[in-house]
Amino acid sequence: MCYWELMWCYTYKKTWKMAYFYADLLSKQNRWSKAVYVYMKAAYLSMLPPEEARPFGEDEVQLFRQVPSLKQKIAGKSPPTEKFAIRKARRYTSSNPVRMPVPALEVMYLWNGFSVLGQQRELTAGILHTLNETERVLEETPANEYLTDDKCMVMLLKGMCLKYLGKPKKAERCFLAIPQSWKVIKFDHYLVPNALLEVSLLYMQQGRHEEAISFLKQAKYNYKNYSMESWTQFRIHAALSRLKVADEVVDGMNGAGTSSAVNSPV
C-alpha cells in the first residue's frame, strides 16, 4: 500500500523515474495485478523525453507488449483496471506503434487522482503545462487512427486541471468539446460519458442542477460497453443521489419558509 501511495505522490510531482521505481517494486512484490503494474511502468517511461536514458535499460514499447500476457482473474473475473490496461496496451502490438501521449495521467484520472492533485495549485499547474505541451504536439502530428481519441483524452484532463485551478468556463469548454467528437472517437469510448459526468459535477458546484441532471442522465443511459463503465456508472449514481438530496433540502427549506410566513402572528 505504501509503494502504491508513493507511486502516485511522485506522479503528482511529475517525478516520473521515481514513480516508475515504485511501480517496478509493485510489479515484483505484489500479486494484485501484474498487468496493471507493468502497464504503469511503461506509462511512466513514456512520460520521459525520448532521448533520456531509461532505468534498468527497460523499454516502454516492450513493456506495453508484455501486458496482455499478464492477464489474470480474481474470483473468476479480471479487474476493470486490468482490462483497461490490456486494451490500451494492444496499441503497441504493431511493428510501428503510435505512442500514447500521456498514459500515466490518463490512468491518474481513472484512479480519481485529480481530486488529490487539485488540492495543490502548483502541482496542478505543472500537470496543465504538460498537457498544453502535449496538445501542441498533437496539433502538429500527422493524421492517424488514434489522433482524435488522443486529443479528446488530453482535453478531458485539461478540463480537470482548469476546474481545480478555478477556471470553470475554460473547464466547461474542454468537457463539452468531447461529446461533439463522439462519432469519430474510435477506441476510447469512455471519454464521452466521463466528459458528460465531469461537466455535470462542474454544474453542481455552480448550482445549475437541472443542467447537471440532464447531462448525468445522458451519460447514464446513452452509453454502454465502454472501458471502466462500472466505475463511471458508480460516480454518476453518486452524483444523482447527491442532487436528489440537495433538491429535497432546498424544497424543504422553501416549504418551511412559506409555512413560517403564513402562520406568523406578525
Side-chain angles (χ1 to χ4, degrees):
M1 182 60 73
C2 289
Y3 289 164
W4 178 259
E5 296 298 337
L6 283 164
M7 181 185 79
W8 289 116
C9 286
Y10 284 114
T11 303
Y12 303 143
K13 296 170 72 174
K14 300 199 303 184
T15 312
W16 307 123
K17 286 187 178 179
M18 287 302 298
Y20 160 88
F21 172 74
Y22 284 105
D24 184 56
L25 286 176
L26 285 164
S27 73
K28 294 173 180 176
Q29 299 182 22
N30 192 288
R31 297 181 180 180
W32 172 64
S33 174
K34 193 164 185 177
V36 170
Y37 297 140
V38 171
Y39 183 89
M40 293 308 301
K41 287 175 60 177
Y44 290 125
L45 294 184
S46 297
M47 303 299 293
L48 298 173
E51 67 278 4
E52 190 168 332
R54 271 47 179 164
F56 309 122
E58 289 201 292
D59 174 73
E60 56 265 36
V61 174
Q62 295 304 317
L63 287 171
F64 277 128
R65 287 173 176 169
Q66 290 177 25
V67 171
S69 67
L70 301 172
K71 180 179 180 180
Q72 65 181 23
K73 291 188 176 182
I74 299 173
K77 295 183 178 180
S78 296
T81 46
E82 186 171 276
K83 291 179 180 178
F84 176 86
I86 290 170
R87 187 184 64 77
K88 295 287 289 189
R90 291 197 183 109
R91 179 165 168 168
Y92 286 81
T93 56
S94 68
S95 58
N96 188 27
V98 178
R99 292 173 177 253
M100 287 185 275
V102 283
L105 302 184
E106 182 180 24
V107 178
M108 185 174 82
Y109 170 77
L110 294 172
W111 282 101
N112 206 28
F114 279 87
S115 64
V116 179
L117 174 76
Q119 306 308 309
Q120 294 290 329
R121 187 176 182 86
E122 184 179 350
L123 296 181
T124 306
I127 295 294
L128 180 60
H129 175 74
T130 296
L131 292 167
N132 284 332
E133 286 298 304
T134 302
E135 187 175 48
R136 181 185 60 78
V137 171
L138 289 174
E139 289 298 330
E140 300 171 359
T141 299
N144 63 71
E145 61 180 336
Y146 297 102
L147 190 57
T148 299
D149 296 53
D150 289 345
K151 287 181 177 180
C152 287
M153 186 265 293
V154 170
M155 191 71 69
L156 176 66
L157 304 187
K158 275 189 63 176
M160 296 301 295
C161 289
L162 291 164
K163 169 186 171 180
Y164 285 108
L165 288 171
K167 299 178 180 180
K169 287 293 184 184
K170 290 184 177 180
E172 180 182 5
R173 285 197 293 270
C174 287
F175 296 143
L176 291 179
I178 297 165
Q180 295 175 9
S181 300
W182 73 272
K183 288 185 178 180
V184 288
I185 291 175
K186 290 188 175 181
F187 305 100
D188 295 327
H189 301 290
Y190 82 93
L191 292 168
V192 177
N194 277 277
L196 294 171
L197 167 62
E198 297 301 344
V199 79
S200 299
L201 296 174
L202 192 65
Y203 288 162
M204 286 170 63
Q205 291 180 348
Q206 300 170 343
R208 298 162 63 180
H209 290 179
E210 289 187 7
E211 292 170 275
I213 291 170
S214 174
F215 280 119
L216 285 168
K217 287 183 176 179
Q218 288 182 49
K220 182 177 179 65
Y221 297 113
N222 293 358
Y223 303 93
K224 301 293 179 183
N225 302 318
Y226 54 85
S227 293
M228 301 291 290
E229 182 177 354
S230 58
W231 175 79
T232 304
Q233 289 287 350
F234 176 82
R235 294 185 67 211
I236 292 169
H237 177 76
L240 286 168
S241 296
R242 284 166 54 197
L243 281 168
K244 182 179 179 182
V245 170
D247 288 341
E248 287 175 354
V249 170
V250 170
D251 290 343
M253 290 175 63
N254 290 340
T258 302
S259 176
S260 176
V262 169
N263 296 323
S264 171
V266 177

